[in-house]
Amino acid sequence: MAPAIEVRSLSRSFSGRGETLALDNVDLTVEEGELFGLLGPNGAGKTTLIKILSTLLLPSSGTARVLGHDVDADAKLIRKRINMVSGGEISGYGLLTIRENLWMFTQFYGVPGKVANERIDSLLETFGLQDKADAKLRTVSTGQRQKMNIIRGFATDPELIFLDEPTLGLDVTTSIAIRNYLRRWVREREGRTMMLTTHYMLEADELCDRVAIIDRGRIVAVDTPAGLKRRAGSGSSF
């Protein structure tokens, strides 16, 4: 079975006032069916790596393969099979209702109408948004908007989904609901893979099969949450 994600000697730099090295010679493999976490502080390189893997950025050097395809040469093939959700993002159109926004995104992926409606209805119920389905997006709360963003990501039934700090800034109840769904999605769908970035140690511990710790653009450790705790020594929270 080929890995869902395979990264070799991957680097990415940005020009500005001098040159900033966001990713530095990263090697990483994520197996099909894993719920894999990227854990690190703000500015560690998590979002840059996610953007490269989701074909939004090109690497400066090295290679990255997603679902067997090169992110540079085969971007269109990858995009049809993945999705991405970021915490705190502004996604969708405020003048459209939640249901209309979700329908629009499923059509971008060519999901048949009946299937799209069934998925949208099921996910709205799962996240407790059915009573807001016909509310215009600009009228709902931050938590409700983020629930819609999560639904948008899963309504296309991706083989691989990237979640970049999906519970950022949300209340405890909403965060728990989202984490419960993420755990269930991977377990109930054979062959589906998830990469989750977070700087919440508890979130990585609760959700992930394995976790890579990234700092200053480098992967400094990859292990199960339990293995990372053992490395950190007794008394450590992670």
Side-chain angles (χ1 to χ4, degrees):
M1 185 185 300
I5 296 170
E6 192 170 16
V7 172
R8 295 291 176 263
S9 303
L10 186 71
S11 295
R12 172 70 199 206
S13 58
F14 294 95
S15 299
R17 295 180 179 177
E19 188 167 287
T20 301
L21 189 60
L23 294 174
D24 186 7
N25 203 36
V26 169
D27 289 320
L28 188 66
T29 300
V30 177
E31 301 298 339
E32 181 182 298
E34 276 197 289
L35 202 169
F36 191 92
L38 282 176
L39 177 65
N42 291 332
K46 303 186 302 295
T47 298
T48 299
L49 180 56
I50 287 281
K51 285 184 175 180
I52 289 173
L53 295 175
S54 58
T55 75
L56 297 178
L57 279 177
L58 289 174
S60 299
S61 62
T63 62
R65 298 185 67 81
V66 174
L67 301 174
H69 298 290
D70 182 84
V71 296
D72 186 2
D74 303 321
K76 289 184 178 179
L77 296 175
I78 293 170
R79 288 171 187 165
K80 292 189 286 188
R81 301 169 64 187
I82 68 171
N83 213 328
M84 177 182 174
V85 176
S86 296
E89 70 177 350
I90 299 174
S91 179
Y93 294 91
L95 290 175
L96 298 180
T97 67
I98 285 179
R99 184 184 297 279
E100 288 167 343
N101 272 286
L102 293 171
W103 170 263
M104 177 183 66
F105 283 115
T106 62
Q107 298 316 289
F108 291 160
Y109 278 77
V111 180
K114 182 179 179 182
V115 174
N117 279 322
E118 288 173 352
R119 287 182 189 165
I120 290 168
D121 287 341
S122 176
L123 287 164
L124 286 170
E125 183 175 356
T126 295
F127 284 95
L129 275 185
Q130 62 269 46
D131 62 332
K132 294 291 184 179
D134 298 317
K136 294 196 181 295
L137 185 60
R138 59 183 169 81
T139 69
V140 304
S141 69
T142 299
Q144 291 164 341
R145 182 186 291 266
Q146 183 59 5
K147 284 182 179 180
M148 191 213 75
N149 286 336
I150 296 287
I151 292 171
R152 172 184 60 76
F154 288 99
T156 61
D157 195 26
E159 295 174 52
L160 168 62
I161 190 163
F162 298 99
L163 300 175
D164 190 13
E165 300 190 2
T167 60
L168 180 67
L170 299 182
D171 63 78
V172 173
T173 301
T174 302
S175 296
I176 290 173
I178 289 173
R179 287 200 293 267
N180 287 341
Y181 180 78
L182 301 185
R183 186 186 300 109
R184 194 165 66 248
W185 184 82
V186 171
R187 301 295 177 259
E188 293 178 354
R189 286 165 174 77
E190 185 177 355
R192 296 298 196 259
T193 307
M194 184 183 302
M195 178 174 272
L196 168 77
T197 78
T198 182
H199 59 265
Y200 300 137
M201 293 184 289
L202 176 63
E203 191 163 77
D205 192 14
E206 283 186 3
L207 290 175
C208 299
D209 301 309
R210 289 191 302 145
V211 177
I213 296 179
I214 185 168
D215 187 38
R216 298 179 184 179
R218 286 181 170 270
I219 302 292
V220 297
V222 180
D223 207 336
T224 63
L228 291 172
K229 286 179 183 178
R230 286 193 296 271
R231 292 192 198 190
S234 61
S236 172
S237 62
F238 199 74

